[in-house]
């Protein structure tokens, strides 16, 4: 069965203090790894899709990387508006089903 | 381009009732998936539809059902509601099933009393 584990569960950062979130996974035949951010009471907002080991994607202060066993989401010089829960999901096997991790709750203080 | 829309946004029901939630995907998207999100279990996959056919189903009881119409709009139904069904129900759409990004709607917050 596909499994996704995210760490840490929660992260408190000072504005400008860079850090990384981890997503480790076991899946038979990875077809895609997805990062989303979710604000309280809202639906997940798409950030990145990664398909193969070695792939990297960047968007503003965020950078996602992928290896054969894990993915990292690097937050560089975060701002308070980066506060959110970051979710990692994998797609493997048949169909489009996403298996989600529990998320990392990030709080950035001024 | 309009995003995924879900109606209603909030719903309060009592145990034993049934409920129908609606989802309109992004224009051009033919796949719709449903997820349940609770504080304890996180995001759990319910089912997915493509071209009006259910392609995959999660580990939920038969009280949870869904369907997709020819215009790709989808509905999910929960019968005989239980307190534990209180959750945020999320719909996501994508162009296809395989290796395609799913875009989520705002969700329907269901409270069962």
């Amino acid at each position: 069965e596909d499994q996704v584990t995210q760490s840490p569960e929660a992260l408190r950062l000072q504005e400008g203090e860079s850090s990384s979130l981890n997503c480790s996974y076991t899946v038979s035949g990875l077809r895609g790894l997805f990062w989303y951010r979710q604000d309280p009471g809202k639906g997940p907002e798409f950030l990145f899709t990664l398909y193969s080991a070695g792939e990297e994607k960047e968007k503003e202060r965020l950078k996602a990387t992928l290896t054969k066993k894990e993915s990292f989401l690097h937050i560089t010089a975060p701002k308070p508006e980066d506060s959110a829960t970051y979710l990692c999901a994998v797609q493997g096997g048949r169909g489009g089903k996403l298996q989600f991790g529990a998320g990392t709750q990030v709080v950035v203080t001024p | 381009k309009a995003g995924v829309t879900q109606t209603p946004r909030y719903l309060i029901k009592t145990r034993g009732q049934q409920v129908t939630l609606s989802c309109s995907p992004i224009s051009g998207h033919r796949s719709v998936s449903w997820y349940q999100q609770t504080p304890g279990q996180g995001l759990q996959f319910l089912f997915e539809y493509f071209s009006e056919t259910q392609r995959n189903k999660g580990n939920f009881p038969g009280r949870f059902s869904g369907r997709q119409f020819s215009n790709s709009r989808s509905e999910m139904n929960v019968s005989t509601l239980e307190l534990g069904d209180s959750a945020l129900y999320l719909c996501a759409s994508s162009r296809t099933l395989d290796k395609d990004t799913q875009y989520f709607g705002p969700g329907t917050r269901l409270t069962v009393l």
Side-chain angles (χ1 to χ4, degrees), chain A residues 31 36 38 49 51 91 96, chain B residues 35 37 48 98-99 101-102:
Chain A
R31 291 153 73 183
Y36 293 87
Q38 186 175 27
T49 304
Y51 292 112
Q91 187 182 72
Chain B
Y35 296 84
Q37 186 173 31
E48 69 184 353
D98 189 18
K99 292 188 175 182
T101 297
Q102 295 184 18

Side-chain angles (χ1 to χ4, degrees), chain A residues 19-90:
Chain A
S19 188
S20 295
L21 282 55
N22 177 265
C23 170
S24 63
Y25 62 90
T26 54
V27 62
S28 54
L30 179 72
R31 291 153 73 183
L33 185 140
F34 304 83
W35 283 98
Y36 293 87
R37 70 168 275 166
Q38 186 175 27
D39 294 305
K42 296 188 177 181
E45 176 189 341
F46 170 70
L47 294 174
F48 303 109
T49 304
L50 301 167
Y51 292 112
S52 56
E55 192 173 357
E56 298 182 353
K57 292 211 175 150
E58 278 188 80
K59 177 182 177 181
E60 297 180 354
R61 295 177 294 282
L62 300 176
K63 179 180 177 179
T65 62
L66 181 65
T67 72
K68 288 187 177 180
K69 292 184 179 181
E70 57 191 351
S71 176
F72 292 93
L73 184 66
H74 308 278
I75 309 178
T76 302
K79 298 182 177 181
E81 53 261 44
D82 294 323
S83 298
T85 295
Y86 291 85
L87 296 164
C88 168
V90 297

Side-chain angles (χ1 to χ4, degrees), chain B:
Chain B
K1 201 171 191 181
V4 178
T5 58
Q6 292 187 244
T7 55
R9 292 292 315 280
Y10 303 92
L11 208 49
I12 299 175
K13 293 284 187 179
T14 56
R15 279 182 298 173
Q17 287 187 309
Q18 68 95 25
V19 67
T20 299
L21 311 181
S22 181
C23 171
S24 292
I26 292 171
S27 177
H29 286 196
R30 296 170 62 191
S31 175
V32 172
S33 299
W34 288 89
Y35 296 84
Q36 180 196 65
Q37 186 173 31
T38 59
Q41 298 296 317
L43 269 152
Q44 300 286 315
F45 171 77
L46 281 159
F47 27 65
E48 69 184 353
Y49 289 87
F50 183 79
S51 294
E52 301 179 68
T53 302
Q54 187 180 92
R55 303 295 177 136
N56 209 343
K57 191 176 189 303
N59 296 323
F60 280 82
R63 300 184 296 106
F64 292 81
S65 63
R67 59 178 175 167
Q68 187 180 33
F69 302 96
S70 58
N71 61 358
S72 294
R73 192 177 69 84
S74 177
E75 288 181 348
M76 68 162 280
N77 184 277
V78 187
S79 63
T80 320
L81 285 166
E82 300 177 0
L83 295 178
D85 297 333
S86 294
L88 182 67
Y89 289 89
L90 292 159
C91 166
S93 78
S94 58
R95 290 187 186 279
T96 64
L97 282 175
D98 189 18
K99 292 188 175 182
D100 207 354
T101 297
Q102 295 184 18
Y103 296 89
F104 284 82
T108 294
R109 171 72 63 186
L110 172 64
T111 302
V112 182
L113 303 175

